């Protein structure tokens, strides 16, 4: 990258040896195409530097919005095993009692926390029925 820099030193190098030394050093570091003037500069009006115009901002194209992803409908839950009803358990226990297994039926009901079938919670019907099938 090339940058053009202009340095203007105002002063009398003939009367000020330090000024002459500074100009000399600058000239050796930064060679110039124009000779360094040692004349007293004429009073001039300072011109305002032209205002820098900012480069136009390039707007990046906005990406197209992604389509909203709809959640897949939930698959229906696998059908649970049909709930065992009180009537199913009652029918099985009645069959067992008729076949002479009244004592075993009474033990099953007591084992599951009741003195009669209606005392047993519905969530234990499946377990009770499975044990009755084993008799």
């Amino acid at each position: 990258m090339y940058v053009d820099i202009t340095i203007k030193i105002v002063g009398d190098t003939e009367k000020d040896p330090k000024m002459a030394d500074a100009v000399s050093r600058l000239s050796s570091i930064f060679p110039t195409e124009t000779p360094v003037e040692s004349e007293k500069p004429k009073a001039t009006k300072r011109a305002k530097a032209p205002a820098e115009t900012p480069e136009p901002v390039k707007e990046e194209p906005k990406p197209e919005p992604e389509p909203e992803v709809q959640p897949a409908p939930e698959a229906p839950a696998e059908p649970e095993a049909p709930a065992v009803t009180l009537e199913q358990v009652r029918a099985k226990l009645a069959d067992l009692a008729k076949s002479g297994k009244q004592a075993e039926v009474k033990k099953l009901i007591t084992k599951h926390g009741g003195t009669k079938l209606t005392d047993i919670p519905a969530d234990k019907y499946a377990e009770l029925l499975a044990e009755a099938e084993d008799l």
Side-chain angles (χ1 to χ4, degrees):
M1 175 182 216
Y2 177 78
V3 178
D4 185 23
I5 299 175
T6 303
I7 299 174
K8 184 174 183 180
I9 301 174
V10 180
D12 189 353
T13 55
E14 292 175 5
K15 291 182 182 177
D16 189 357
K18 288 182 182 178
M19 176 73 75
D21 185 48
V23 170
S24 173
R25 286 183 188 193
L26 282 173
S27 297
S28 67
I29 296 173
F30 302 105
T32 62
E33 294 177 10
T34 57
V36 177
E37 296 179 18
S38 61
E39 295 179 9
K40 196 171 194 179
K42 296 179 183 175
T44 58
K45 262 190 175 178
R46 284 190 173 183
K48 289 186 178 179
E52 291 184 28
T53 56
E55 292 184 27
V57 177
K58 294 180 183 178
E59 291 187 28
E60 293 183 23
K62 294 181 181 176
E64 292 184 25
E66 294 183 21
E68 289 185 29
V69 178
Q70 297 292 330
E74 290 186 28
E78 291 186 26
E80 295 179 18
V84 177
T85 64
L86 175 65
E87 289 74 26
Q88 291 171 319
V89 176
R90 180 176 283 142
K92 180 63 179 175
L93 294 180
D95 287 344
L96 287 173
K98 286 181 187 174
S99 66
K101 298 186 178 182
Q102 288 177 334
E104 288 88 350
V105 169
K106 190 71 171 168
K107 283 183 185 179
L108 280 177
I109 292 172
T110 305
K111 178 182 175 184
H112 288 280
T115 57
K116 55 187 177 186
L117 183 57
T118 54
D119 291 341
I120 298 174
D123 61 340
K124 294 195 177 193
Y125 289 166
E127 185 181 335
L128 178 60
L129 186 61
E131 289 180 24
E133 298 280 344
D134 291 340
L135 292 179

